[in-house]
Amino acid sequence: MIDGLILVLLVQVIIEIPYVLVQTLMFLIITYPSIDFYLSADKLVWYFYTMFCTLLSFTYFGMLLVSLTPSFQVASVVASFCYTMFTLFSGFIIPAPVSNCYSLVTP
């Protein structure tokens, strides 16, 4: 029984890799030129690797939450909270530049 369970879990993990690979390629084709990054092979590979690992980890985290919570609705609520906390504490929130109108108010 344990061998069958491990096999099912392993197949669930492996089957997501091609789908995330296609998603990452589509995302890379759209966003890399849109962001206007410097076009070089090593930067493109690093961008692909970073996005692939990020999407794969979010997919696996969602699978973990669905398996640990009693229903899909509870998993969605918990995932929403966790993703908000991940984003909040990851350092990707870039502060907006301060407008020059404040310089007129301060001496």
Side-chain angles (χ1 to χ4, degrees):
M1 180 66 185
I2 297 296
D3 294 333
L5 180 63
I6 291 174
L7 185 63
V8 168
L9 295 176
L10 188 63
V11 167
Q12 282 183 341
V13 167
I14 291 173
I15 199 65
E16 289 296 327
I17 293 174
Y19 295 116
V20 173
L21 184 70
V22 170
Q23 280 182 329
T24 306
L25 284 173
M26 290 172 52
F27 184 79
L28 183 123
I29 289 169
I30 294 170
T31 59
Y32 199 83
S34 299
I35 298 173
D36 199 27
F37 284 145
Y38 181 73
L39 190 59
S40 67
D42 59 338
K43 292 186 186 290
L44 192 70
V45 169
W46 275 112
Y47 184 71
F48 173 78
Y49 175 72
T50 304
M51 294 312 301
F52 180 72
C53 289
T54 301
L55 290 175
L56 206 59
S57 66
F58 282 145
T59 302
Y60 290 153
F61 183 70
M63 290 169 60
L64 173 77
L65 286 179
V66 167
S67 66
L68 291 179
T69 55
S71 69
F72 177 72
Q73 289 82 12
V74 175
S76 296
V77 171
V78 172
S80 173
F81 174 74
C82 290
Y83 291 149
T84 302
M85 291 299 114
F86 289 163
T87 304
L88 183 64
F89 294 111
S90 66
F92 290 121
I93 297 176
I94 300 171
V98 178
S99 175
N100 286 337
C101 67
Y102 293 116
S103 64
L104 299 174
V105 176
T106 58

